[in-house]
Amino acid sequence: MKLSDFWDRMDETFGPAYAKSVASDHTIGQLGGRTIDQALAEGENAKAVWMAVCRAWPERIPARLVR
């Protein structure tokens, strides 16, 4: 997954403004307790980060974006 695709999915799921807040403010256990921004900055694969987001907020992710 390209990083631009990751951010498109984040924006669609959370809205552009809230997506940035989610990425910088919320830690995710599946990312080792890191934020999305930290995980991506440390070289974590965008697809792996997206799947962690899907598991952390299953009620928010449209089914067509869980892949």
Side-chain angles (χ1 to χ4, degrees):
M1 170 185 290
K2 292 189 250 178
L3 198 52
S4 61
D5 294 332
F6 171 85
W7 286 112
D8 286 345
R9 290 177 187 206
M10 287 289 291
D11 288 347
E12 184 173 342
T13 300
F14 297 102
Y18 189 52
K20 298 298 183 199
S21 175
V22 168
S24 65
D25 297 337
H26 296 276
T27 59
I28 299 176
Q30 281 205 293
L31 297 176
R34 297 176 291 177
T35 66
I36 292 166
D37 285 345
Q38 289 169 330
L40 292 171
E42 293 173 7
E44 193 74 43
N45 177 282
K47 178 69 172 186
V49 175
W50 176 248
M51 295 312 295
V53 170
C54 290
R55 287 187 284 281
W57 287 279
E59 71 285 353
R60 295 210 51 151
I61 312 296
R64 64 185 171 68
L65 295 181
V66 181
R67 53 179 170 82

